[in-house]
Amino acid sequence: MDIEFSIVVPAFREEGAIREVVSKILQAASAITSNFELIVVDDGSDDRTAELAALGGARVIPHPYNKGYGAALKSGIRASKGCTIIFMDADGQHRAEDIARILAARDRYDMVVGARKNSAGSPQWRKPCKRVLGWVVNQLVGRGVPDFNSGFRAINRHLALRILPLMPDGFSFSTTSTIACFRGGFNVGYVPIQVSPRQAGVSSVTANDGF
């Protein structure tokens, strides 16, 4: 029997949040089906991220050194077996209860993105840059995109493997996958979500990622 969905969580130095994140995801996914898998890709953390994720019940794929957010997602995609792959962040900002809502829209769309309101969850210094990037993305795809770089999304596994060679290793993975799906003529849908404050740790996104 095919696995219904795989949840892939890229993690780097998230020992303060990862065990609770794993617990909440397992609880929410189990309420939907027993036929799923949770994969945490530890991207070369030098703390207890991998250990705590495994203790929480996730399957852990370790990177020997830090490769980048996109590289971690690529490893998760290659290892996954679900018909749908769901990406979620490891810092606790994404609410596990939204998994069901995003999955419900997958019947109509090749990729479903959790759309945050006004870039909720992002520091103030990032928002002017995001407005500029958002304008560029809108021009490239020829339509208004509600949230071009949300890390909470669900995608058809075969589509994910198809666009994998185009995907970068850094934080622009989310933006690039959005553009690739729109430009490829695939159906992309958006589901409004709320995000919570980061539970612990510090974001590794820098101004250079924006450029």
Side-chain angles (χ1 to χ4, degrees):
M1 179 184 296
D2 290 336
I3 292 176
E4 291 184 32
F5 58 88
S6 303
I7 302 171
V8 175
V9 179
F12 178 62
R13 294 176 179 169
E14 294 288 0
E15 66 177 0
I18 191 62
R19 188 157 189 179
E20 183 176 355
V21 168
V22 166
S23 175
K24 288 181 177 179
I25 290 175
L26 290 175
Q27 182 178 1
S30 296
I32 301 169
T33 180
S34 60
N35 191 23
F36 72 95
E37 62 179 351
L38 171 57
I39 300 171
V40 171
V41 182
D42 177 52
D43 192 27
S45 300
D46 52 7
D47 59 9
R48 300 179 64 206
T49 296
E51 175 190 352
L52 293 174
L55 287 173
R59 173 188 172 195
V60 178
I61 298 175
H63 282 176
Y65 50 85
N66 183 250
K67 296 183 179 182
Y69 174 81
L73 288 177
K74 290 180 187 179
S75 293
I77 291 170
R78 294 188 184 102
S80 66
K81 299 177 182 178
C83 299
T84 292
I85 305 175
I86 301 170
F87 304 140
M88 296 182 69
D89 290 349
D91 57 12
Q93 289 196 10
H94 295 152
R95 303 193 311 170
E97 53 265 39
D98 286 331
I99 292 173
R101 296 174 58 243
I102 286 183
L103 275 175
R106 257 285 292 126
D107 289 341
R108 292 175 291 150
Y109 298 102
D110 300 299
M111 183 168 73
V112 181
V113 182
R116 302 159 294 179
K117 185 177 181 179
N118 299 324
S119 297
S122 296
Q124 289 298 322
W125 66 266
R126 290 187 203 164
K127 292 184 179 181
C129 298
K130 284 196 169 187
R131 282 194 288 269
V132 174
L133 288 172
W135 180 85
V136 172
V137 172
N138 291 342
Q139 298 306 306
L140 287 172
V141 304
R143 66 179 64 237
V145 177
D147 192 338
F148 61 88
N149 67 342
S150 170
F152 194 178
R153 56 186 63 207
I155 186 171
N156 176 282
R157 180 174 179 271
H158 295 296
L159 173 56
L161 289 170
R162 179 174 175 177
I163 65 175
L164 198 64
L166 300 173
M167 296 301 104
D169 288 341
F171 281 103
S172 55
F173 182 103
S174 299
T175 305
T176 306
S177 63
T178 298
I179 296 170
C181 287
F182 273 118
R183 295 291 292 178
F186 296 100
N187 297 321
V188 181
Y190 284 84
V191 173
I193 62 168
Q194 295 181 352
V195 293
S196 304
R198 167 181 274 274
Q199 291 185 6
V202 179
S203 173
S204 55
V205 178
T206 67
N208 287 333
D209 294 309
F211 286 112

